[in-house]
């Protein structure tokens, strides 16, 4: 189902439009600023004060103080509460670890941004429902507190046979061209237009073997030295928080192919433009690597 179009001060809560111009009036929204912190501060023994440990972001709790307003239509109020409840009741989200529903947010002068999480509270008060008014207490918990772009960015990098990207004049014999017995490599560029680290989903499609993916600036790499992909088959490396999996095209677990030194939990795209490079053995020049990510933001 396509995403809903949002106007300023509107929200898409799991496919239900709320906020300005809708039947769900928002009185106050909290939790969209700095996320809570999990601190590791420790009291200094036999001294005043504390030692400041590393701070980690906790889950972001977004709370809506709202009410349904459909004058003279209590049945429509009940139906709208049921629609909101159904948005959080999908078994594919509720019963699957790591899965979440989407909260999309539109503010004046900024593009739509989104959070992924779970609806943890939906409490209606029916005392005034006969008049077509139902106060709501809604809580949405985003386990990854960063805001993300509403649209995905995708780039595809093929393998190149020429090691240096071409010939440099003057050309002198012998000329060495890769024939599939040496790992080919192909540089490419990706851009995270946000101001926080973005997390790519990386798909490598065969035929190829011995795959290594490197983020050049940081030197971090993901190596699958024993992987062999037949033509048309692929593996997907999902670096997103809450996922961080390596899977086959049939849904099987391929994490055993990842080398012990590969840190999928650190393989992010920093703000700005980054060079990506991948190597593999491929004597057909038809293997491909595709990166898909959402630009990441600290704030709305």
């Amino acid at each position: 189902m396509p995403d809903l179009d949002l106007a300023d001060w509107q929200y898409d809560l799991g496919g239900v439009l709320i906020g300005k111009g809708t039947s769900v009036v928002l009185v106050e929204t909290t939790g969209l600023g700095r996320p809570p912190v999990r601190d590791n501060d420790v009291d200094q023994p036999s001294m005043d004060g504390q030692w400041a440990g590393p701070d980690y972001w906790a889950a972001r709790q977004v709370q809506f103080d709202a009410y349904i307003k459909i004058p003279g239509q209590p049945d429509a109020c009940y139906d709208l509460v049921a629609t909101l409840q159904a948005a959080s009741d999908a078994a594919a989200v509720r019963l699957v670890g790591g899965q979440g529903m989407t909260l999309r947010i539109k503010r004046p002068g900024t593009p739509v941004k989104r959070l992924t999480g779970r609806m943890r509270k939906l409490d209606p008060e029916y005392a005034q429902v006969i008049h077509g008014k139902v106060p709501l207490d809604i809580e949405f918990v985003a386990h990854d507190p960063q805001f993300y772009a509403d649209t995905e960015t995708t780039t595809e990098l093929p393998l190149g046979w020429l090691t240096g990207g071409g010939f440099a004049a003057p050309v002198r014999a012998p000329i060495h061209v890769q024939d599939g017995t040496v790992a080919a490599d192909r540089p490419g560029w990706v851009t995270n237009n946000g101001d926080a680290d973005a997390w790519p989903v990386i798909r490598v499609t065969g035929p190829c073997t011995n795959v290594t993916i490197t983020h050049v600036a940081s030197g971090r790499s993901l190596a699958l030295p024993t992987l062999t992909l037949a033509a048309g088959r692929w593996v997907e490396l999902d670096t997103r928080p809450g996922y961080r999996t390596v899977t086959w095209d049939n849904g099987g677990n391929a994490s055993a192919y990842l080398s012990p030194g590969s840190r999928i939990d650190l393989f992010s795209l920093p703000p700005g433009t980054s060079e990506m490079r991948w190597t593999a053995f491929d004597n057909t020049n038809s293997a491909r690597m595709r990166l898909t990510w959402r630009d990441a933001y600290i704030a709305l």
Side-chain angles (χ1 to χ4, degrees):
M1 186 175 70
D3 290 330
L4 300 173
D5 291 331
L6 297 182
D8 290 343
W9 304 109
Q10 288 186 336
Y11 301 79
D12 174 357
L13 182 56
V16 182
L17 190 64
I18 65 175
K20 185 178 181 181
T22 74
S23 298
V24 180
V25 180
L26 298 180
V27 179
E28 186 177 8
T29 304
T30 60
L32 296 178
R34 191 173 187 262
V37 171
R38 292 186 290 114
D39 70 71
N40 288 269
D41 298 345
V42 179
D43 291 340
Q44 298 209 55
S46 304
M47 296 181 65
D48 295 333
Q50 291 184 318
W51 179 82
D55 289 345
Y56 299 100
W57 300 130
R60 181 185 295 277
Q61 297 180 343
V62 182
Q63 299 196 1
F64 298 99
D65 180 6
Y67 62 91
I68 296 172
K69 184 179 181 182
I70 311 178
Q73 299 184 56
D75 54 338
C77 294
Y78 283 117
D79 289 344
L80 187 46
V81 172
T83 299
L84 285 166
Q85 188 166 336
S88 64
D89 196 53
V93 172
R94 184 171 55 86
L95 299 179
V96 178
Q99 295 297 319
M101 58 186 288
T102 302
L103 171 63
R104 300 170 59 239
I105 305 164
K106 179 68 174 73
R107 287 288 190 266
T110 64
V112 175
K113 296 188 178 74
R114 62 168 59 200
L115 298 166
T116 301
R118 301 279 181 91
M119 189 190 298
R120 291 303 191 205
K121 182 186 290 186
L122 176 61
D123 287 342
E125 297 178 11
Y126 289 120
Q128 302 178 64
V129 68
I130 193 171
H131 304 297
K133 183 177 181 180
V134 177
L136 295 172
D137 185 6
I138 304 172
E139 181 177 283
F140 179 90
V141 175
H143 298 94
D144 178 359
Q146 284 189 166
F147 296 98
Y148 290 93
D150 199 39
T151 56
E152 291 182 331
T153 302
T154 299
T155 187
E156 187 172 274
L157 305 178
L159 279 170
W161 278 12
L162 299 179
T163 58
F167 297 106
V171 177
R172 295 185 178 90
I175 300 172
H176 296 285
V177 180
Q178 293 180 346
D179 61 0
T181 61
V182 179
D185 68 83
R186 171 78 179 194
W189 299 90
V190 296
T191 300
N192 169 14
N193 291 304
D195 53 14
D197 286 352
W199 300 93
V201 178
I202 306 168
R203 178 177 293 188
V204 179
T205 303
C208 60
T209 63
N210 189 12
V211 174
T212 300
I213 304 159
T214 303
H215 181 265
V216 175
S218 67
R220 293 171 181 158
S221 63
L222 301 175
L224 300 95
T226 61
L227 177 69
T228 298
L229 285 173
R233 294 214 66 185
W234 50 262
V235 293
E236 193 166 83
L237 300 92
D238 192 338
T239 71
R240 295 174 299 169
Y243 296 88
R244 290 178 178 152
T245 55
V246 184
T247 55
W248 284 103
D249 47 11
N250 60 10
N253 185 358
S255 59
Y257 290 95
L258 200 63
S259 70
S262 298
R263 293 289 303 272
I264 197 170
D265 60 319
L266 298 179
F267 201 84
S268 60
L269 303 179
T273 299
S274 302
E275 182 182 0
M276 300 292 298
R277 187 178 292 271
W278 74 295
T279 64
F281 291 104
D282 171 24
N283 61 4
T284 69
N285 198 32
S286 59
R288 295 291 184 269
M289 180 179 74
R290 188 180 74 188
L291 291 94
T292 303
W293 71 95
R294 294 182 188 273
D295 299 337
Y297 299 87
I298 297 172
L300 279 177

